[in-house]
Amino acid sequence: MDLTYTEEEEEFRAGLREWLTKVLPGLPPKPDPGDWPARRAYDLGWQRMLYDAGYAGLHWPVDAGGRGATPTQHLIFLEETERAGAPYVGANFVGLLHAGPTIAAEGTPEQRARWLPPILRGEEVWCQGFSEPDAGSDLASLRTRAVRDGDDYVITGSKIWTSHAEVADWCELLVRTQPVSDDVPKHRGITWLVMPVDAPGVTVRPLRTLAGSTEFAEVFLDEVRVPVGNRVGAENDGWRVTMVTLSFERGTAFVGEVVACRRVLGELAREARVNGRWDDLVLRRRLGRLNAEFRALWRLTQWNVSESERTGGVPGVGGSVFKLRYSHARQELYDTAAEVLGPDSLDLSREWTLDRLSSLSYTIAAGTSQIQQNIVAERILGLPKDRNGRKDG
Amino acid sequence: MHFQLTDDQRALQTGVRELLAGRFGREALRAAVDAAGVDGSGARLDRGLWRELGEAGFFALCLPEADGGVGLGLPEAVLAFEEAGRVLLPGPLIATHLAAGTVPGAAEGLTVVTAVDGVVDGTGGGALVEWLDEADVVQGDASGAVPLQSVDPLTPLHRVHAVVGNRSAGRWGSPLLERSRELGGGWAQPTTAGADNSFAELLGAAEQLGGATRTCDMAVRYARERQQFGRPIGSFQAVKHLCAQMLVRTEMARAAVYAASVTADPLDIATARLLADEAAVRGARDCLQVHGGMGFTWEADVHMYLKRAWVRARRGQSTAVHEESLAADLLLPEKR
Ligand SMILES: Cc1cc2nc3c(=O)[nH]c(=O)nc-3n(C[C@H](O)[C@H](O)[C@H](O)COP(=O)(O)OP(=O)(O)OC[C@H]3O[C@@H](n4cnc5c(N)ncnc54)[C@H](O)[C@@H]3O)c2cc1C
């Protein structure tokens, strides 16, 4: 067990720090959170800077235009950019972390050449059209239909909770190409398509979150035509195509966030010190407990990253253990922030009040905590599936 | 960075596990509990086993080879104590381990060393000593010790009232500290007694980790076998989610304990303590719940894990002290 970084890793860190110190002061001011076009431009601009400096697609394979960095280098990258206060991945999230890697793994050479470079260069934004009004946790029951018509699929249905749909160019879309029947289980007849968001028949209706912003949207699809050439993987094989990326991660999913939470925790302590609530023993101990929690989450991150380095990727189940604990800890952090703020915790102009509201999505998005617990119980601990309920998986 | 067990560490882990499985398996545990009796009055240390542990190097793991030890470090000691915790190995293991090299015979398993766990934090209650009647050497002042009826049949306890101040200084020997100086880099060395007390905390956390791992395994095994409503209880979500959270707590504790064994940083050790205590105590509680009525019996092993977890959670510094030091750390400027 070794927690020290190798010489190469430290060199990588030093180079990155130097670059960050040089470029961050020249960044344009952060856009207004409600101004989506400005946010898009800002996030893409940052991606372009990373590209020009050779940091784009750090964790992508070299033959996909990435840098093929080790998981530890990726960890260092995420840690250092967060510490330096660099912009978040933002609107580039789906492209860099999901659609891109999926195309890199499953796409044809033409598909890779068409879609991957613009993601790396910060030219195009992607969104993820998976969830539907009647298919959330039970994603495989999705009903958006795609019917083959010559060289096109004709798609009708609707998606929901699609983050960044308002400003996206492309949507990684899951559609049903074969109806569910006695012979076709629900996760069989699904296909993975790339849909241009500006195609005729696509209507994006922003949804307001409880935090007041429009982070995600409903996407209505009315006979939208998508060329067959936009299909990644075989017809009806979309579930597997999706899982290839979803089920493998390198333990780095929340690196930046854990670093950020630790910084916030320090700020909370200093604020409590200033406003006098530090004298409250119960609150102080709660802050101490949270320090232990986030220190341990950081160690678990290092453990998972090292493990994925050893095994070439941790199956997503290890990620489930982490996500369960982290999403809960993040909510506890901002509930504690409310204790520190006192009456100010009801004031939306306080940064932590909005963050507290956003933290509520963490136990829901990307697999609810209940679903994550099912995954841990069934796939790690080997407990039997519930016979009355789901037949998927 | 490579935060994974090395091949040697894996081999050590397997070696200790096999040794303990052969020498202190379930039958031996039950026999020891039966001999101790419901009130624990018959609890005796198995001197033969103690010597075998000594011969296998269990107590001398961190003692330099020049002094007849195995010459390994804190990570290896943590792995060995995790295994001890997993099988509920009884005895003042930590005190004897820390005395190796200073108390003659401790390293070899010939001398049983216990220690006054003397934190007086103003809340009263005094200090506890484990296995006082069976020990050959006591570190610290145990005069006037009175027995109490221990909740854990395999951990006899005495109470000492008269200890004042922080732990009786110099109570532990300090080979680990010496070893840490040799290794250099990041090792905690506030004062001799302070550092060894820290190591005692960490080894206790390692035992808690072993206990937490084991109760998770026990709960999962029972949940797969036990049938109700015509199916295994492990197919019910309420049971599944209990088990999933047991694993989550255990893996968090593992990361914290192993990391603290590498850095020996006092705050990492405090973190390890908090997380490992939580994993062990709540894990045993949930394991009991999964066992239903069986979990409430003397016959099932669950209660022994819970009781030992309670005993270990009371050792050393209190939860409050650890939380306070971790809170104070938040006010320090960030080190980079
Ligand atoms: C901020 C945010 C961003 C999102 N972004 C996207 C996106 O970009 N693209 C996208 O496709 N989706 C996105 N989602 C959708 C997200 O993946 C779903 O919300 C999530 O999978 C849950 O589905 P649901 O909302 O339909 O809830 P449901 O599945 O209806 O769940 C409701 C409740 O029932 C529980 N439940 C359901 N099934 C079970 C079960 N088998 N066992 C136990 N409990 C169960 C759940 O845990 C939950 O508590 C986003 C969601 C949020 C909150």
Side-chain angles (χ1 to χ4, degrees):
Chain A
M1 290 187 282
D2 189 357
L3 284 165
T4 54
Y5 293 89
T6 63
E7 212 167 292
E8 279 142 302
E9 287 162 351
E10 288 297 1
E11 255 168 47
F12 174 77
R13 186 192 298 276
L16 176 60
R17 271 190 193 175
E18 198 186 340
W19 179 72
L20 286 167
T21 323
K22 205 170 69 205
V23 302
L24 289 184
L27 277 187
K30 283 216 163 89
D32 179 271
D35 185 349
W36 277 99
R39 282 177 68 170
R40 173 190 155 108
Y42 184 83
D43 294 348
L44 288 177
W46 170 243
Q47 179 60 29
R48 179 71 204 196
M49 285 168 71
L50 290 172
Y51 179 81
D52 289 339
Y55 289 116
L58 205 57
H59 60 291
W60 284 21
V62 175
D63 66 2
R67 295 271 308 271
T70 63
T72 302
Q73 283 174 329
H74 194 208
L75 172 122
I76 292 169
F77 173 81
L78 295 166
E79 181 188 5
E80 290 299 327
T81 46
E82 174 54 43
R83 285 197 174 183
Y88 299 110
V89 58
N92 303 303
F93 183 89
V94 172
L96 280 173
L97 291 149
H98 199 258
T102 305
I103 294 168
E106 297 285 324
T108 62
E110 295 75 38
Q111 290 174 332
R112 296 167 114 217
R114 167 60 191 90
W115 286 307
L116 298 183
I119 294 175
L120 294 174
R121 290 196 301 255
E123 289 163 1
E124 292 178 345
V125 168
W126 286 67
C127 65
Q128 181 180 74
F130 285 9
S131 304
E132 296 182 5
D134 289 327
S137 298
D138 184 10
L139 180 61
S141 69
L142 62 90
R143 288 201 301 232
T144 292
R145 284 278 286 146
V147 181
R148 188 77 177 257
D149 179 29
D151 287 339
D152 289 339
Y153 286 106
V154 181
I155 305 163
T156 301
S158 65
K159 295 289 172 177
I160 197 166
W161 321 128
T162 317
S163 303
H164 302 124
E166 263 185 280
V167 291
D169 304 291
W170 301 99
C171 178
E172 51 164 342
L173 192 72
L174 287 183
V175 294
R176 182 159 302 287
T177 33
Q178 210 180 0
V180 179
S181 68
D182 287 348
D183 308 326
V184 182
K186 57 188 174 183
H187 56 277
R188 276 294 153 65
I190 293 173
T191 299
W192 203 100
L193 297 179
V194 176
M195 180 184 77
V197 179
D198 63 0
V202 179
T203 310
V204 176
R205 194 168 72 87
L207 289 167
R208 204 169 285 289
T209 73
L210 53 67
S213 55
T214 53
E215 304 282 325
F216 48 31
E218 264 178 296
V219 179
F220 300 98
L221 307 168
D222 182 17
E223 305 206 341
V224 179
R225 299 191 84 88
V226 168
V228 171
N230 284 18
R231 187 187 70 216
V232 174
E235 189 169 280
N236 299 327
D237 198 26
W239 189 254
R240 187 195 60 77
V241 171
T242 307
M243 290 307 144
V244 164
T245 312
L246 273 194
S247 67
F248 262 89
E249 64 129 342
R250 312 194 316 165
T252 48
F254 298 101
V255 170
E257 297 199 14
V258 171
V259 172
C261 285
R262 293 187 70 180
R263 190 192 61 237
V264 169
L265 196 51
E267 289 166 9
L268 287 183
R270 284 187 286 280
E271 170 76 20
R273 191 54 185 247
V274 168
N275 72 20
R277 294 200 173 82
W278 185 255
D279 296 337
D280 175 351
L281 168 94
V282 175
L283 176 62
R284 214 165 52 228
R285 284 184 57 182
R286 198 166 160 187
L287 288 167
R289 179 56 77 166
L290 275 169
N291 191 6
E293 185 75 16
F294 282 103
R295 279 168 165 266
L297 282 166
W298 180 248
R299 297 312 190 183
L300 187 55
T301 301
Q302 290 179 311
W303 181 265
N304 286 344
V305 165
S306 297
E307 179 170 34
S308 79
E309 208 142 285
R310 189 168 61 91
T311 60
V314 262
V317 283
S320 291
V321 169
F322 188 91
K323 188 189 181 255
L324 271 170
R325 188 79 180 210
Y326 167 65
S327 52
H328 180 78
R330 187 178 176 102
Q331 292 175 354
E332 171 63 15
L333 173 70
Y334 286 107
D335 284 343
T336 307
E339 291 304 303
V340 170
L341 286 174
D344 280 2
S345 67
L346 303 178
D347 178 355
L348 279 177
S349 71
R350 295 297 299 246
E351 181 191 4
W352 294 332
T353 308
L354 272 182
D355 289 340
R356 184 187 194 193
L357 291 173
S358 312
S359 77
L360 299 172
S361 72
Y362 277 73
T363 46
I364 298 166
T368 70
S369 289
Q370 285 71 35
I371 296 298
Q372 301 288 358
Q373 288 180 102
N374 290 347
I375 292 173
V376 169
E378 290 167 10
R379 303 207 206 137
I380 305 184
L381 297 175
L383 289 172
K385 293 202 179 226
D386 182 355
R387 273 190 266 144
N388 289 346
R390 299 145 304 121
K391 287 196 288 187
D392 51 53
Chain B
M1 179 187 74
H2 189 71
F3 188 32
Q4 291 279 297
L5 300 192
T6 62
D7 290 343
D8 285 350
Q9 286 166 339
R10 268 173 224 288
L12 176 102
Q13 189 179 46
T14 312
V16 179
R17 190 172 299 175
E18 280 166 4
L19 170 80
L20 292 177
R23 205 46 188 80
F24 198 74
R26 178 155 195 271
E27 275 96 78
L29 171 67
R30 294 309 311 199
V33 172
D34 288 346
V38 174
D39 64 357
S41 58
R44 297 287 175 275
L45 268 188
D46 179 348
R47 293 293 185 136
L49 171 56
W50 206 262
R51 269 194 305 279
E52 276 178 54
L53 287 172
E55 278 159 26
F58 185 89
F59 299 115
L61 266 183
C62 302
L63 202 60
E65 281 172 280
D67 300 333
V70 188
L72 295 171
L74 202 47
E76 286 75 17
V78 154
L79 291 173
F81 275 78
E82 179 188 343
E83 295 307 318
R86 188 196 285 266
V87 298
L88 291 179
L89 189 66
L93 299 164
I94 297 175
T96 304
H97 183 92
L98 291 174
T102 50
V103 174
E108 297 80 12
L110 301 171
T111 310
V112 175
V113 183
T114 191
V116 179
D117 194 23
V119 177
V120 174
D121 54 9
T123 52
L128 292 172
V129 197
E130 299 179 7
W131 290 99
L132 184 61
D133 290 341
E134 293 282 304
D136 307 309
V137 173
V138 187
Q139 309 260 34
D141 182 4
S143 49
V146 274
L148 52 85
Q149 199 177 320
S150 173
V151 64
D152 174 10
L154 287 184
T155 311
L157 291 170
H158 280 71
R159 200 201 320 255
V160 188
H161 276 290
V163 181
V164 187
N166 206 0
R167 294 155 161 262
S168 36
R171 127 195 128 144
W172 309 112
S174 58
L176 259 179
L177 186 74
E178 292 305 323
R179 179 86 188 128
S180 79
R181 290 213 173 95
E182 279 163 39
L183 293 172
W187 287 64
Q189 10 191 298
T191 65
T192 302
D196 272 349
N197 289 348
S198 261
F199 296 151
E201 299 262 343
L202 181 58
L203 296 180
E207 288 183 306
Q208 293 287 55
L209 172 62
T213 308
R214 182 83 179 92
T215 46
C216 184
D217 291 348
M218 282 161 61
V220 169
R221 184 161 338 127
Y222 192 77
R224 282 206 210 116
E225 284 165 7
R226 170 73 177 166
Q227 303 254 339
Q228 285 294 284
F229 298 95
R231 49 192 174 136
I233 57 167
S235 68
F236 301 120
Q237 257 191 11
V239 173
K240 269 185 196 162
H241 291 190
L242 280 178
C243 294
Q245 288 296 344
M246 289 167 84
L247 184 77
V248 170
R249 288 190 298 262
T250 304
E251 294 312 304
M252 275 286 277
R254 183 180 312 287
V257 169
Y258 288 180
S261 81
V262 174
T263 66
D265 175 272
L267 288 168
D268 282 341
I269 292 176
T271 300
R273 262 300 301 264
L274 291 179
L275 276 283
D277 283 348
E278 182 200 20
V281 173
R282 291 203 48 199
R285 290 283 288 268
D286 289 350
C287 181
L288 195 155
Q289 185 67 21
V290 168
H291 279 74
M294 183 58 80
F296 193 65
T297 64
W298 186 266
E299 183 196 334
D301 295 346
V302 190
H303 70 105
M304 296 189 283
Y305 279 88
L306 179 57
K307 292 165 177 174
R308 188 69 62 84
W310 279 343
V311 167
R312 294 186 198 122
R314 283 272 150 227
R315 287 184 195 149
Q317 302 284 8
S318 66
T319 301
V321 168
H322 289 308
E323 286 175 349
E324 286 279 12
S325 50
L326 282 156
D329 167 60
L330 292 174
L331 292 174
L332 301 177
E334 199 196 349
K335 323 145 225 175
R336 287 195 62 168

